[in-house]
């Protein structure tokens, strides 16, 4: 039986603009055939095989016939195929042609619309494409940048006379021609025009001018693809309604995340929502260790010292009743949250996620026998302190963090970033082992232990979170960026 093909729009760039339906389908897909203009992070962690059939102005591209062939071949093999395109699949995305190919081949398909760049990028620039009194209609326009190439021949007279906003999905190279043709056909050179480069992405740029001057203004700003051009009175509203800068304190900044892949996405997502361009450089990976969880009835205290430790412990303890005996201490709010996800409410949670704070929080609790669930390579501060108080202490090493090699591109992206974030000491060690120099960017540390590791390597953290959680780290980074 043939599989089904989903022609899915991924939106213009901000991963938050992916639809719920698109996300569901991506999670279920066997194969994803993706364009290059697909939002960052959207393809991470999928079970599907991802094939890049990217097309980008001028660059290498998989020919359309090959993409069509792959769609049919994968579907005929019974696979669930997501054909993921930037923006909306039926707006200048050749989605209609692909649907025709599928129909002819007798392959069932569905279409999932997306936010098209002409609307999404404009909105993120503060431009409503229609506006009462200013623009009762909007036209989406594309054409070949090279007049010598065959393709859509535009009727410039009709476009110039169009009673509403014109949105061009054409590169900046075409701008001088667009402006010259429109003005020659009678559109006033004084009419507002705007170009939005990389709309809705963390590094979006907007140039607002007039039709007569927009080509020069865009060239001066060095705007590049992908970009859209808006022509019409609404373009001037960008000056009044620009909102992205205020809402996105990290816009224009590149932030590298060195966490293990599995945990990076939440942190990366928060940073992106604040406007940052995120470089994922997972210099560490979590390796579960085989363990036998002892009978916990013999302990009066169980300490869990990291969110990974909590997750691993919950994985190993198949019957939650086994945890009913001892008091449970989490090293900080992040670990407490991870325990709560498994239905366990910690009895003791210091605000600062460091061993010293935990020892302090346990001050008034009588402890005879404690079990510490943690990473193999964790520091011995906590067991030592409890032993010093007369307790007998066992350590349960549930996992270890191992260095994950970074490829050349990731390594140099880290060194070129504005900020590099470290959520653990091992991430510091491994990023350095992976060859990052960490000399250029501002270094953001989650807490004193991570900072100490940086200093051990002759690096001074520029920012240290006062709450030692990923959220605390983000807050500290935002405060630093606002300086
Ligand atoms: N199907 C897509 C359009 C594909 S054509 C959609 O609905 O948005 C590719 C063109 O879209 C680019 O040349 C550029 O003009 C525009 N585009 C795509 N993403 C963009 C973005 N983030 N910002 C500005 N323009 C974008």
């Amino acid at each position: 039986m043939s599989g089904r093909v989903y022609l899915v729009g991924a939106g213009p760039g901000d991963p938050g603009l992916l639809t719920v339906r698109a996300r569901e389908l991506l999670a279920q897909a066997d194969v994803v055939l993706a364009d290059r203009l697909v939002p960052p992070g959207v393809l991470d962690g999928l079970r599907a095989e991802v094939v890049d059939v990217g097309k980008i102005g001028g660059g290498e591209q998989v020919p359309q016939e090959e993409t069509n062939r792959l769609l049919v071949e994968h579907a005929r093999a019974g696979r669930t195929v997501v054909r993921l395109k930037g923006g909306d699949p039926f707006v200048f995305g050749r989605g209609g042609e692909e649907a025709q190919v599928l129909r002819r081949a007798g392959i069932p398909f569905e279409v999932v619309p997306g936010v098209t760049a002409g609307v999404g990028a404009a909105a993120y620039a503060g431009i409503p494409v229609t506006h009462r009194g200013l623009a009762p209609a909007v036209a989406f326009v594309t054409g070949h940048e090279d007049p010598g190439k065959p393709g859509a021949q535009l009727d410039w007279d009709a476009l110039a006379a169009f009673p509403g906003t014109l949105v061009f999905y054409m590169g900046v190279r075409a701008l001088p021609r667009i402006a010259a043709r429109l003005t020659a056909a009678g559109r006033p050179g004084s009419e507002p025009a705007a170009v939005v480069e990389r709309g809705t992405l963390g590094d979006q740029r907007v140039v607002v001018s007039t039709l007569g001057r927009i080509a020069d203004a865009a060239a001066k700003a060095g705007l590049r693809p992908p970009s859209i051009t808006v022509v019409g009175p609404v373009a001037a509203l960008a000056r009044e309604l620009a909102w992205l800068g205020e809402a996105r304190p990290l816009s224009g900044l590149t932030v590298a995340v060195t966490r293990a892949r599995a945990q990076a996405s939440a942190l990366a997502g928060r940073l992106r929502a604040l406007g940052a361009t995120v470089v994922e450089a997972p210099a560490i990976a979590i390796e579960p260790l085989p363990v036998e969880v002892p009978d916990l009835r013999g302990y009066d205290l169980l300490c869990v010292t990291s969110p990974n430790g909590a997750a691993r412990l919950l994985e190993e303890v198949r019957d939650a009743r086994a945890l009913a005996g001892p008091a449970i201490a989490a090293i900080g709010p992040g670990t407490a949250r991870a325990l709560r996800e498994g239905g366990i409410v910690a009895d003791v949670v210091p605000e600062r996620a460091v061993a010293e704070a935990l020892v302090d929080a346990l001050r008034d609790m009588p402890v005879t026998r404690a079990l510490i669930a943690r990473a193999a390579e964790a520091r011995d501060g906590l067991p030592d302190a409890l032993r010093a108080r007369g307790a007998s202490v066992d350590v349960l090493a549930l996992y270890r963090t191992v260095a994950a090699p970074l490829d050349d591109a990731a390594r140099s992206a880290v060194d070129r970033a504005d900020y590099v974030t470290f959520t653990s000491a091992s991430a510091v060690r491994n990023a350095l082992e992976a060859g990052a120099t960490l000399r250029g960017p501002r270094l953001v540390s989650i807490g004193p232990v991570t900072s100490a590791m940086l200093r051990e390597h002759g690096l001074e953290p520029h920012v240290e979170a006062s709450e030692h959680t990923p959220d605390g780290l983000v807050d500290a980074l935002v405060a630093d960026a606002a300086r």
Side-chain angles (χ1 to χ4, degrees):
M1 237 195 37
S2 165
R4 189 175 283 268
V5 175
Y6 298 89
L7 299 168
V8 179
D14 180 345
L17 296 180
L18 197 74
T19 62
V20 174
R21 180 75 176 136
R23 197 171 279 292
E24 275 170 14
L25 290 170
L26 282 168
Q28 294 163 13
D30 298 313
V31 187
V32 176
L33 301 180
D35 268 1
R36 233 183 296 175
L37 282 182
V38 156
V42 161
L43 298 174
D44 292 348
L46 300 180
R47 58 179 273 273
E49 175 198 348
V50 177
V51 184
D52 183 357
V53 292
K55 305 179 180 39
I56 208 161
E60 266 178 66
Q61 49 178 249
V62 174
Q64 185 64 46
E65 297 67 46
E66 174 64 6
T67 303
N68 294 348
R69 197 188 61 73
L70 286 172
L71 279 173
V72 171
E73 183 186 286
H74 283 299
R76 289 225 167 110
R79 300 187 188 112
T80 299
V81 183
V82 166
R83 170 72 176 107
L84 191 66
K85 292 162 173 291
D88 181 276
F90 276 9
V91 179
F92 308 137
R94 304 191 74 168
E97 292 165 52
E98 291 172 14
Q100 287 174 322
V101 167
L102 295 168
R103 172 77 2 121
R104 279 197 294 271
I107 292 165
F109 64 86
E110 291 180 30
V111 182
V112 181
V115 176
T116 189
V119 172
Y124 272 49
I127 302 173
V129 289
T130 70
H131 192 80
R132 207 149 62 93
L134 286 184
V138 55
F140 299 121
V141 189
T142 190
H144 270 300
E145 297 187 13
D146 179 354
K149 274 193 204 165
Q153 289 304 313
L154 293 173
D155 180 341
W156 291 99
D157 291 329
L159 286 175
F162 181 74
T165 307
L166 301 172
V167 181
F168 290 92
Y169 289 61
M170 288 162 85
V172 276
R173 273 197 300 142
L175 256 185
R177 208 162 50 84
I178 293 172
R181 294 282 185 117
L182 284 177
T183 44
R187 198 100 178 179
S190 58
E191 188 163 304
V195 180
V196 187
E197 176 196 69
R198 294 179 60 77
T200 81
L201 287 152
D203 50 355
Q204 164 179 305
R205 292 198 296 162
V206 184
V207 169
V208 186
S209 182
T210 60
L211 184 55
R213 301 220 188 93
I214 190 71
D216 280 349
K220 201 143 126 230
L223 294 192
R224 300 176 36 182
S227 60
I228 53 146
T229 301
V230 183
V231 177
V234 291
L237 288 175
R239 294 206 177 93
E240 184 189 337
L241 300 180
W243 55 270
L244 196 63
E246 297 153 39
R248 311 280 162 120
L250 300 182
S251 57
L253 295 173
T254 302
V255 181
V257 172
T258 59
R259 296 198 104 177
R261 175 91 55 207
Q263 306 166 301
S265 61
L267 178 58
R270 259 211 79 193
L271 291 165
R272 284 195 187 103
L274 292 165
T277 298
V278 175
V279 173
E280 291 194 36
I284 65 177
I286 304 297
E287 191 180 276
L289 294 173
V291 287
E292 190 79 42
V293 178
D295 184 351
L296 292 170
R297 278 170 304 188
Y299 295 90
D300 47 11
L301 176 68
L302 170 65
C303 295
V304 187
T305 67
S306 68
N308 286 320
R312 280 284 296 132
L313 183 70
L314 293 167
E315 215 171 74
E316 292 294 334
V317 176
R318 288 205 189 78
D319 183 348
R321 287 172 299 181
L323 293 170
I328 296 182
I331 198 157
T335 302
R337 206 171 309 134
L339 284 169
R340 211 153 47 230
E341 268 162 33
I344 306 294
V345 179
D347 302 292
V348 180
V349 188
E351 252 165 59
R352 283 163 37 84
V354 289
E356 292 71 18
L358 182 56
V359 171
D360 197 43
L362 292 170
R363 195 175 48 224
D364 299 326
M365 185 183 279
V367 180
T368 329
R369 222 175 142 216
L371 182 68
I372 301 183
R374 61 171 221 189
E377 69 278 12
R379 296 182 312 151
D380 288 327
L382 182 58
D384 289 350
L386 291 172
R387 283 189 191 110
R389 287 175 41 186
S392 104
V393 179
D394 296 323
V395 166
L396 182 66
L398 289 158
Y399 65 97
R400 62 188 173 147
T401 55
V402 293
L406 292 180
D407 59 25
D408 289 351
R411 198 164 41 233
S412 75
V414 167
D415 279 332
R416 273 183 288 115
D418 297 296
Y419 287 93
V420 182
T421 60
F422 296 100
T423 51
S424 66
S426 45
V428 173
R429 201 171 41 228
N430 296 330
L432 289 165
E433 256 172 46
T437 69
L438 306 180
R439 294 289 160 182
R442 290 179 75 73
L443 307 177
V444 189
S445 147
I446 197 165
V449 181
T450 302
S451 297
M453 182 61 84
L454 282 165
R455 293 197 184 98
E456 224 173 84
H457 291 90
L459 295 160
E460 186 56 29
H462 300 88
V463 184
E464 183 183 286
S466 45
E467 191 207 322
H468 312 310
T469 62
D471 283 353
L473 177 141
V474 170
D475 291 345
L477 200 163
V478 168
D480 187 72
R483 281 173 322 131

